[in-house]
């Protein structure tokens, strides 16, 4: 396990292309990892745990609305989301899935999450 304050390099590699099949597999990963508990079934941030979550300082925190692809903490490019899945988000309840998800499962989850983006233009 890493010590607090230490950084390490996360090797991401070339992202695979998204496909209908990878999005469907990603939905299954989303369900299996219980992402909807926080982010809701459609990713809008309205899961049942929404009003019970706190940051590391005990302050209320709300899950991100995944349909807002324009403002992800850490970036919303596929590589950014993949990195977030591997490392989690310090200070938040968002866990790290490195060692939990396979590379393929993580990329499928990236493709599913990106399929939730709503074009606000």
């Amino acid at each position: 396990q890493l010590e607090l304050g230490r950084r390490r390099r996360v090797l991401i590699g070339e992202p695979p292309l998204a496909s209908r099949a990878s999005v469907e597999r990603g939905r299954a990963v989303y369900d299996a990892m219980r992402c909807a508990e926080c982010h809701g079934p459609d990713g809008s941030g309205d899961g049942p745990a929404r009003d019970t979550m706190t940051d590391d300082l005990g302050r209320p925190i709300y899950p991100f609305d995944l349909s807002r692809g324009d403002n992800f903490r850490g970036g919303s490019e596929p590589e950014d989301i993949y990195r977030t899945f591997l490392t989690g988000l310090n200070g938040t309840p968002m866990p790290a899935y490195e060692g939990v998800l396979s590379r393929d499962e993580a990329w499928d989850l990236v493709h599913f999450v990106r399929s939730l983006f709503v074009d606000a233009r």
Side-chain angles (χ1 to χ4, degrees), residues 28-99:
V29 173
Y30 187 87
D31 292 341
M33 299 310 297
R34 300 176 41 194
C35 302
E37 290 290 315
C38 299
H39 296 285
D42 63 357
S44 62
D46 64 350
R50 180 185 191 277
D51 294 326
T52 64
M53 299 171 64
T54 59
D55 67 12
D56 284 358
L57 298 175
R59 299 174 298 201
I61 190 170
Y62 299 101
F64 190 72
D65 177 350
L66 299 173
S67 69
R68 292 187 51 211
D70 63 336
N71 196 24
F72 272 51
R73 186 173 178 186
S76 56
E77 293 300 316
E79 297 87 349
D80 301 327
I81 298 169
Y82 182 84
R83 182 188 61 246
T84 296
F85 290 157
L86 293 183
T87 63
L89 289 172
N90 289 346
T92 78
M94 178 65 195
Y97 290 113
E98 185 173 35

Side-chain angles (χ1 to χ4, degrees), residues 8-48:
R8 64 183 173 84
R9 184 170 295 166
V10 175
L11 300 177
I12 296 173
E14 187 67 27
L17 293 176
S19 67
R20 183 178 303 242
S22 69
V23 170
E24 290 172 10
R25 289 189 307 266
R27 174 56 175 207
V29 173
Y30 187 87
D31 292 341
M33 299 310 297
R34 300 176 41 194
C35 302
E37 290 290 315
C38 299
H39 296 285
D42 63 357
S44 62
D46 64 350

